[in-house]
Structures are given as structure tokens and as C-alpha cells.
Amino acid sequence: MNSKAVATPRRTKEILDTYGFSFKKSLGQNFIIDVNILKNIIEHAEIDQNAGAIEIGPGIGALTEQLAQYADKVVAFEIDQRLLPILGESLSPYDNVEIINQDILKADVKQVIEEQFSSGQGVKVVANLPYYITTPILMKLLMDRLPIDSITVMIQKEVADRMAAVPNTKSYGSLSIAVQYYTEAQVAMNVPKTVFMPQPNVDSSVLHLKMRTEPPVNVEDEDFFFELVKASFGQRRKTLINNLARHFKGKMDKSDIQAHLEKAGIDPKRRGESLSMEEFALLARHLN
């Protein structure tokens, strides 16, 4: 086992100085410099020697190194070519790591899973995600319906709260429903800014998403369901009837929408954030 862990302030600084590496703000690079935090993430992800792990944005290999010690195999997607030689060195003690120099948003992750992991192996995504692109990455992973067990990611606290939020709370919105349609979402822990180099301007949380085998609600037309949900939160202070009338203008009269809401047993004066996923599914069936 490598005694000189990457995830310490001293070792991180040493690596960056050796390679003359400068952080790219456009790539949202914040490296973790606390081994205990990484071990906690791995524990929440339930990584063991049978698991396959997919990492996104390994940076200089802080989390990758820890994953390599616990998982059977690690496949990491890194977009920044400047980091490849660094990863080659920092991960040289491990023969169970594969680095793919590709943008995760353009990658065929399903194919990578088929090629890199053994058949039937439990695969989990574990990552410290770049904050500026968290939502597109997570929604791609969910909508591609990958053969994975779970996703455990370090993201901006505010975004984690939104993804795990329940109805009638300030954080609850269309993102909460989109994420919880595919997963059981839980904020596993909050993380201070001090564990990063450089320190981000925002607080962070580790979000654990356990993949569902079936959606929690019965939806006939997923595209319409998500369109309806998004429209219901169009302007948060507006009532459901006003948001929907505005969105479906030209397609549906306000009186029709009101009749459907009443038929579904939903008060038109309610606001989007008061509706459960079940109520949105019911309303989608009536309106569609």
C-alpha cells in the first residue's frame, strides 16, 4: 500500500510543483487534501473488493488511489490531458486502474462498463465532481440507464440539498423529482471548504444515489411528465394553474387545465413545491 497518500496538502503541493501544474478555473478543479474525507466517501459508496468503480475527474489521483485500495477495478474519466502524466506516476503502484482521456458527457459509458468490468460485477460511480457541470453529468448517468448500483458524489451543498429535497421545502423542485424518479437520494455528509486545494467559494456535500430498479410512480409518457413537472415550477411564487396555463398556452385552455386539476383532486391554487411525485404522475395522466 502506498504510504505517501496523494490526498495531503504537502504531497499535493509537491506533485503540482513537480509538474508545474496550474488549476484551470474553466474545468472546476478543486483537489481533495484530506484522506479521512475520501475514506468516508468510499464507506458511503459501499466499495469492497468485489466492486467495480467509475470515477469522473480524478485530478491528480487522490480519490482514485483510495478507490484502487478498496475496489476490484477502477476506471476513471479525465478530460484534462495535462493530468495524464501525473496520474501515470501517482497511480503507478496500482495495476487495477484504467484512465480514459475523454469527456464523460460524450462517452459511451455503457460500452465502457461492458468492456472494462466483468459480467454481473456491481459497478458504482464515485467522484468529486466539477461543480459547474454537476447536474448535466448526473442527469446523463441517470438517463442513460446504466447498469450501475449507485452514485456517490461530492458536489455543491446547495445542489445536493435540491436533489434530495422533499415536498414543501425551499430546496424542492423539478431537479428533486428528476433525480428521485431514478434513484433514492440521500445527503450522506457535509464537507468543509478547507479540505480542498484551492478552496471553493461554496460548501460541499456528499450525495448518495441508490439506483431504483423501477420508478416509484407509474408514468406513461416520461417526456411529458418531466415537461409538466418543470412547468409547474416555472415561477415558484405562482400557483399551479397559472404556471401551467402560461406553459401550455396555445395548446390547452386555462379552463381545461383547471378541470383536469380538479378531476385529479388537486387544488389549482396550490404551488408546485407542495405536490408529491405521485400527484405529478396523476396529473400527467389526466393532462396527457
Side-chain angles (χ1 to χ4, degrees):
M1 201 176 277
N2 189 6
S3 58
K4 283 178 78 179
V6 172
T8 63
R10 191 173 161 187
R11 182 84 178 104
T12 298
K13 199 175 174 319
E14 207 177 86
I15 291 170
L16 298 177
D17 289 347
T18 302
Y19 285 87
F21 183 84
S22 56
F23 294 96
K24 261 193 189 168
K25 220 173 179 175
S26 64
L27 292 177
Q29 289 167 330
N30 301 89
F31 301 156
I32 299 173
I33 49 171
D34 185 320
V35 176
N36 290 329
I37 293 285
L38 296 175
K39 289 193 188 297
N40 277 338
I41 292 172
I42 287 166
E43 204 175 303
H44 285 298
E46 298 176 336
I47 297 289
D48 58 30
Q49 69 236 37
N50 301 314
I54 291 176
E55 190 189 0
I56 298 153
I60 59 171
L63 175 58
T64 329
E65 172 185 68
Q66 298 300 321
L67 284 168
Q69 293 172 17
Y70 289 89
D72 173 53
K73 174 149 195 200
V74 185
V75 174
F77 289 89
E78 179 52 64
I79 193 172
D80 189 350
Q81 235 169 337
R82 301 175 305 153
L83 288 164
L84 302 183
I86 302 179
L87 288 165
E89 187 196 326
S90 66
L91 301 171
S92 60
Y94 307 100
D95 58 5
N96 60 339
V97 178
E98 182 80 35
I99 306 292
I100 297 176
N101 179 209
Q102 201 179 1
D103 179 350
I104 188 71
L105 292 174
K106 295 177 182 155
D108 184 342
V109 184
K110 201 173 262 182
Q111 193 185 338
V112 169
I113 291 171
E114 277 171 27
E115 288 170 0
Q116 297 286 347
F117 299 105
S118 46
S119 172
Q121 184 166 30
V123 177
K124 300 169 185 202
V125 174
V126 190
N128 167 29
L129 288 182
Y131 292 172
Y132 76 102
I133 203 168
T134 297
T135 304
I137 289 175
L138 287 177
M139 290 318 296
K140 174 193 160 69
L141 295 177
L142 298 180
M143 293 175 81
D144 283 358
R145 298 186 188 268
L146 301 170
I148 55 176
D149 296 346
S150 64
I151 300 173
T152 308
V153 283
M154 172 96 77
I155 60 176
Q156 191 175 331
K157 182 182 186 300
E158 185 198 332
V159 179
D161 289 343
R162 280 168 56 204
M163 289 182 173
V166 295
N168 293 308
T169 59
K170 202 175 79 178
S171 298
Y172 183 70
S174 55
L175 185 61
S176 323
I177 292 167
V179 169
Q180 291 169 43
Y181 181 80
Y182 297 103
T183 72
E184 292 170 44
Q186 178 202 356
V187 176
M189 64 188 213
N190 296 323
V191 178
K193 299 172 191 175
T194 48
V195 307
F196 295 96
M197 183 188 289
Q199 285 189 24
N201 304 322
V202 294
D203 290 318
S204 306
S205 293
V206 173
L207 179 74
H208 180 68
L209 304 174
K210 186 172 183 278
M211 307 305 291
R212 296 184 189 273
T213 47
E214 289 287 324
V217 290
N218 179 23
V219 170
E220 283 155 28
D221 181 340
E222 283 184 1
D223 290 341
F224 181 77
F225 170 72
F226 288 122
E227 182 190 350
L228 169 70
V229 168
K230 214 168 176 183
S232 303
F233 289 97
Q235 290 180 292
R236 280 191 87 90
R237 290 217 170 100
K238 287 200 166 182
T239 58
L240 203 53
I241 181 76
N242 285 336
N243 267 330
L244 294 179
R246 186 166 170 263
H247 178 81
F248 291 110
K249 197 177 180 180
K251 292 183 198 166
M252 260 184 262
D253 287 344
K254 194 170 183 176
S255 56
D256 289 342
I257 294 169
Q258 174 138 358
H260 284 303
L261 280 161
E262 284 165 0
K263 234 185 253 177
I266 296 166
D267 182 349
K269 291 195 189 76
R270 282 172 67 184
R271 293 202 171 110
E273 61 259 37
S274 74
L275 268 70
S276 66
M277 202 186 308
E278 288 76 13
E279 289 177 303
F280 277 117
L282 178 66
L283 184 54
R285 283 199 292 278
H286 278 275
L287 281 173
N288 206 17

